[in-house]
Amino acid sequence: MTTKWVYGFSPEKTEGSKELKNLLGGKGANLGEMSSLGIAVPPGFTFTTEACLEYQRLENSFSEEMKTQIKSAIIEVEKNTGKGFGDPKNPLLFSVRSGARVSMPGMMDTVLNLGLNASTVTGLAELTENPRFAWDSYRRFIQMYANVVLNFNLSMLESTLEDLKEARGVELDTELSAKDLEQLCQVYKEMILQESGISFPDEPMDQLWLAIAAVFGSWNNSRAIKYREINQIPHEWGTAVNVQSMVYGNMGDDSATGVCFTRDPSTGDKRFFGEFLINAQGEDVVAGTRTPQPINDESKNDSNESLSTLSSVMPEAYNELVEVYKKLEMHYRDMQDIEFTIEKGRLYLLQTRNGKRTAAAGIKIAVDFVSEGLLSIDEAIMKVAPEDLNQLLHPRLDPNFKKNILTKGLPASPGAASGEICFDSDSAHLKAEAGKKVLLVRQETSPEDISGMVASQGILTARGGMTSHAAVVARGMGKPCVAGCSDLKIDAKAKTMVVGSKTFNEGDPLTIDGATGEVIDGLVPTIAASIDENFSTFMSWADERKKLEIRTNADNPEDTKIALSFGAEGIGLCRTEHMFFEPERIIAVREMIFAENTTDRKKALKTILPFQREDFIGIFSALEGRPANIRLLDPPLHEFLPHQENEKKQLADHLDIELKEVEERIEKLHEFNPMLGHRGCRLGVTYPEIYQMQVRAIIEAALICKGKGIETKPEIMIPLVGIDLELSYLKEKALEEIERVFIEKNDKVEYKLGTMIELPRAAITAGDISKHADFFSFGTNDLTQTTFGLSRDDSGKFLGQYIDKRMLPIDPFVSLDQKGVGFLIKHACSEASRENSSIHLGICGEHGGDPSSIHFCHEIGLDYVSCSPYRVPVARLAAAQANIEAK
Amino acid sequence: MTTKWVYGFSPEKTEGSKELKNLLGGKGANLGEMSSLGIAVPPGFTFTTEACLEYQRLENSFSEEMKTQIKSAIIEVEKNTGKGFGDPKNPLLFSVRSGARVSMPGMMDTVLNLGLNASTVTGLAELTENPRFAWDSYRRFIQMYANVVLNFNLSMLESTLEDLKEARGVELDTELSAKDLEQLCQVYKEMILQESGISFPDEPMDQLWLAIAAVFGSWNNSRAIKYREINQIPHEWGTAVNVQSMVYGNMGDDSATGVCFTRDPSTGDKRFFGEFLINAQGEDVVAGTRTPQPINDESKNDSNESLSTLSSVMPEAYNELVEVYKKLEMHYRDMQDIEFTIEKGRLYLLQTRNGKRTAAAGIKIAVDFVSEGLLSIDEAIMKVAPEDLNQLLHPRLDPNFKKNILTKGLPASPGAASGEICFDSDSAHLKAEAGKKVLLVRQETSPEDISGMVASQGILTARGGMTSHAAVVARGMGKPCVAGCSDLKIDAKAKTMVVGSKTFNEGDPLTIDGATGEVIDGLVPTIAASIDENFSTFMSWADERKKLEIRTNADNPEDTKIALSFGAEGIGLCRTEHMFFEPERIIAVREMIFAENTTDRKKALKTILPFQREDFIGIFSALEGRPANIRLLDPPLHEFLPHQENEKKQLADHLDIELKEVEERIEKLHEFNPMLGHRGCRLGVTYPEIYQMQVRAIIEAALICKGKGIETKPEIMIPLVGIDLELSYLKEKALEEIERVFIEKNDKVEYKLGTMIELPRAAITAGDISKHADFFSFGTNDLTQTTFGLSRDDSGKFLGQYIDKRMLPIDPFVSLDQKGVGFLIKHACSEASRENSSIHLGICGEHGGDPSSIHFCHEIGLDYVSCSPYRVPVARLAAAQANIEAK
């Protein structure tokens, strides 16, 4: 069977439709679709994406069959328009555009007026009785064609045009005469021949084939490849070419061209909204030399208020446009972004597509479409990208303000923040207390910087990746963060930072955009976050549709409350280590670390117990009966030891030992690879009394809450298990302690005990481990680190190159690596479910807030995901979409 | 059906045999076996290991059925001996001993003469007409029983005995009269009652039940538990109890007791060999108060030359013993260790077991047994434990020298070494050049210490595990190493080391035993390694029987030659990084690291190229056509940067930059977790020119060798791949470079290109990766680190506790974790074989030299294992045993 390479569209016969988007590209499919709807679209045809691939397969040549089909399609358009391609008397002219499945900025620009040459231009002049228009069209065609098809340097032609205008003493192109333009065309052609050795093609068919070849070739230009890499578009999709008969908005005052949106793309309000220019072509609107007029009163604003509307100057065409937009919106069931041209009073639609919109508008439109009966709730939910919700939850930079971007780091925590630079926590504190807005700038952050982070508007680090300490903590706090910005040269001691050639001192103003990773000189105004009723309606729909429980990662009552306000259903990960850094506690922790024997260690732990208990009472109270998964101490002990000389001295004084002894102990605890060191349950195994204190604190807190009538659902989580016997041993120790508390207090509470699966060996032997666990929480941060053998704190230096070289589709710390890490998770789930059918399964890594990872979690049947408070709405929506898609 | 708890043995009827070892324990099974062979064994019975478990299940009590069976068994023995248990006239006396499946030093000691009391002792005196003997027997019984059954403090009884001897003015027990001993018995019993409140049991049946209960109880005493933990003996095996009628070697000059070996346990020579004492019991031989006599002329040595032999004093008994030993050796088909007693001229066998022997003896015996037709070659191969070969390959400490053991570290590389302490490579070098033997003592070693390690007899470190740098490199060099000895407090600057209370300075003598981990004060004489013809015969048999190819890890011609002399069939891992540390190279490497752009980097690499080429020519030449698997650069670049201030300064001068710049670069390259950092193929991805230089050096070297008529089989290995696209990208780059070399030199060589599988993700996605690989080499060191999330350099601090607490059966860096890491290897092999049936699979981690890991590699069908040169014979033998077992 012969492959169909060409799909025509015309009022008479249309072969394409929106269902054929993969074959015809988005633009081609929509042109076919509009044509079928009886909307006036200039006739034309689409050369398919498959033709593009075949063209490449044939080493950049066209098969005879393709040529035959293209010729028939041209004859069809000639019939429809009554014009002839290359006919000097009534020339058919084409626009040629690329059109891939998705819009791709890297691709070839449009070529208009294809088919013009020395003879057809004269025909056009006679036919339109407008020589200037005809020669100007030819001039434009040569210019465009030379640029985008022949790859000729545009500026050379443009400066010739400028020279001519100067010689004629005029300012605008339109002031040049037909004669001028005719001359210019000649000069252009000679110039092209001279400079590039190419004689400008005169034969319309040659023009067309070269243009099509250029479109296909542009699929593999470096801009397009780069764009696809960044946006993860497969290279094997190919692009289609749309060849469409020209219509002109610049044929006089009864002609016009414009763009419109079926709803307000900023707010989502239901108002038809657009602008147009009389006697102009599309490019004139873009050029911005004339102020576009509002299409109707609703489209008026400060700058175009005085201009007349399309509804008043061309009421008929306007009314037809209104009918068309309603038809299109109804048909596509989405807000449309429409391009139209009016040629001598007659309306043509050149393009329609789903319009880009702000997150707020997206939600309003989705909600309105449901109430208008255009969409089902399921469909409405699928219309909003979960990531877009970030716009609503965080302040963002005023898009109208001109930014001086210094450099870019990783977009580690969304939102924008401006403030005075501080290089350490203490000054951040002091300045914040003095009422100043500050930005904390650090080489990297450590738990000791928490107070400085709290005091700051945002955090900027020179090191670390998307899951570095700064990034994780900032996301937890909902604060903007740009991490791993390696262009910064920070000298914390000297309190200076160098970016490129500029040196910044403490107190200098700086802005970061945590959504883009931009670091911007000076202060940039921000737009506040906003949540409204539509948001609530929309999210409640999502909640009804999701199967996954959405929990949050929080380790204090404040964060817990924020997360609950965002819809969290419990805590999926409460890290206990942050609790140890407050001044009155850290000293006890250090005493504990320096203890020479179990007795001394227990003594120090006794000091910490009441604090821990209070922590948990606060969290349980905030949760009001929702589950709290509490992870026992995880980091290596050396993280709690002082780094500063004076702190070391203080510690030595406090412990009444020599400074040298402090230093020796620190040296002794030093680890080559702390990530793989003496941490997690390994601490529990060597110092069972630490975990016993924490378990006691949890259970005592739950009993106290019970006494106050507050329901609790404590879940005790033992981290970093790799061997089933670790868990069974530590479980036994925990149960002994719990039993002791129950006896002492003569009361009981329900609790669960389980483990984090964050090591490959834990996932592999999950069947054995599950026998001792009420739940598994997949710690996908560490699981990704160990599965890849990749330190998230160090990978920032080279991971970018991996993405650039397409070795990895995306940072595996951002979106779960389903093939590798996912294999282990699936294996663990199936082993665990077989051995322990009642086991509760969830995920608490950073991936818990990533939509595609959430889809994966839904597919493999996890019970919940847990993410930082500000990601909770994103996760709720992603979970709903995953369930709707699965149906 | 009633369970059979008791198995009798006697000339009349024997129920046990050596096949019932699990049920009867080793001792019980052999007593049964000997009895069945018609060898004179004092009649008795064995209470089974199952009875032990049942006794525990019944909360330390005996069932009625057990009691009934024991009583019948006693009646049987009474019939056989013609004596009565508790009969005052002709008393039957028992010995009671524990006997587990394997010999267990932690268990209860023997109780002899059970059944004696005030009335039976008189009977015994009358019957033997030897009151002194009877009362001495009773005295000994009370003493033993009090100690091992009643848990009474032995020293109290012993001092009473000493007091009595003093009062009598005598020195030996034998000089005390019957009256004295009778009195002593009375005093003992009173003393026991007074001190512990227990009245010494008089009733023989009570004595027996208590003794049996004590044996069963001793299975769970802390010494026994500890022993089982260390030796990985399951706690659920239980122990049997052997109750055997007494015979006496101390009934006069026609009585004797002795031990003998059927061959020489030191050399393996075929000579019957043993010693005995006339008129003595077994414990007298142990006590060493009298010099034992040789059983025959062949057993004579300097100390017993003048004493008469058993063959001369009791020729009949001796001849019977010769018959018996031949029968036993023939029957057990192994060298036997025999205990015998002659009672009034009559020979009794008390025990026989496979005799312990040195490695050299083990091999000689195995080879001799084959030539004597006693064993097949397969059976002979199974008789030698692979680890024992280490004795032959490394010097060991003179066992007769009294050692002052200071502390213990990890037995990281076998062999013993003595020398003067040095704390850094430079002084090690200087002293070694001055002809001194030195021992390098370091906190930990790094590649910079290589020259110091070469100069030293052995290496001792305070940090690091079995696969730390020091351990791995030392094993590669065949040098003794004790690692991770945390009791050492080393001050390298001050050149002192403190162990306990003793301070050592540079130059002080010290000895280490790398086979045991012992650190010994002063110099200890060593016995040199020895390999003889028997070894060669034996190993050639092993080679004929193994399926696995045995390769070696070597990165220079010297090590390669040693490994080949030990039977290596090629190089399985040639690390290239060590090659970069020689003085004239390291500076170029550092230039390369400091290069700001590709051009400068390539320039520096060009300096290194000729060195690398020479390295490979040397290795290829040594290999004489055997395969060489060469790993491209693996460690992070910062490992090559200087740590010392003066070296940094030198580098700054050399590069003509500021010292500060050097420090900044070092700081910038610092990594939090270097193990998971910018290393392996990640370096290749960011700096392709490094790998290209190495690939060029390999191929150019191969071409040069080809020119010289030397065959080569280069295998290029890309390390740390985790993503298939890493390998395909780097393979493409390598192939380009190889093609360039082929064109330049106008010649070609065969080569292979593959990767190391050392990350969980690589194992998981092995199917995809295998499409680009000619071979996989499992890097089980790193695979163990990542699968467990466990840094081998840091785990030394806590892994010991894991072994102690039985959470891990053995250090997973020593013996492959088959359940976790093994799962990944099996998965990878099956995925890879499916996608690429011709792929060659091997292992090159430290596990490649571990017998149980080698068994695993054989089972899952790997093609080869690779280990350090000195482990090659161990691996050959283990591989042969694996294949024989699989049959």
Side-chain angles (χ1 to χ4, degrees), chain B residues 180 186 360 562:
Chain B
D180 287 338
Q186 200 49 43
I562 292 170

Side-chain angles (χ1 to χ4, degrees), chain B residues 229-334:
Chain B
E229 283 170 2
I230 293 169
N231 294 281
Q232 295 163 60
I233 297 168
H235 295 297
E236 57 276 16
W237 278 3
T239 182
V241 184
N242 296 293
V243 180
Q244 194 175 15
S245 52
M246 288 291 301
V247 288
Y248 293 95
N250 57 347
M251 276 207 172
D253 288 346
D254 55 353
S255 299
T257 192
V259 295
C260 54
F261 290 88
T262 61
R263 312 220 165 186
D264 186 324
S266 293
T267 62
D269 287 345
K270 187 171 179 177
R271 58 175 181 134
F272 181 48
F273 180 84
E275 38 192 33
F276 76 106
L277 277 178
I278 288 183
N279 196 14
Q281 272 195 315
E283 54 175 339
D284 300 319
V285 182
V286 179
T289 39
R290 284 154 64 191
T291 304
Q293 299 164 243
I295 55 165
N296 52 20
D297 288 342
E298 289 173 308
S299 305
K300 283 191 171 173
N301 60 29
D302 291 351
S303 66
N304 64 16
E305 219 167 6
S306 60
L307 303 174
S308 46
T309 63
L310 185 65
S311 56
S312 63
V313 279
M314 299 186 196
E316 253 177 78
Y318 175 76
N319 288 339
E320 202 186 335
L321 183 60
V322 168
E323 261 172 60
V324 165
Y325 101 70
K326 287 184 177 165
K327 193 188 252 183
L328 286 173
E329 198 180 74
M330 186 90 78
H331 182 72
Y332 284 101
R333 303 163 78 214
D334 204 341

Side-chain angles (χ1 to χ4, degrees), chain A residues 121-137 178 250-252 279 344:
Chain A
V121 70
T122 332
L124 186 65
E126 283 166 17
L127 199 75
T128 57
E129 297 171 357
N130 189 343
R132 218 212 70 86
F133 161 72
W135 285 106
D136 191 44
S137 297
N250 55 347
M251 278 209 172
N279 195 15
K344 295 184 174 294

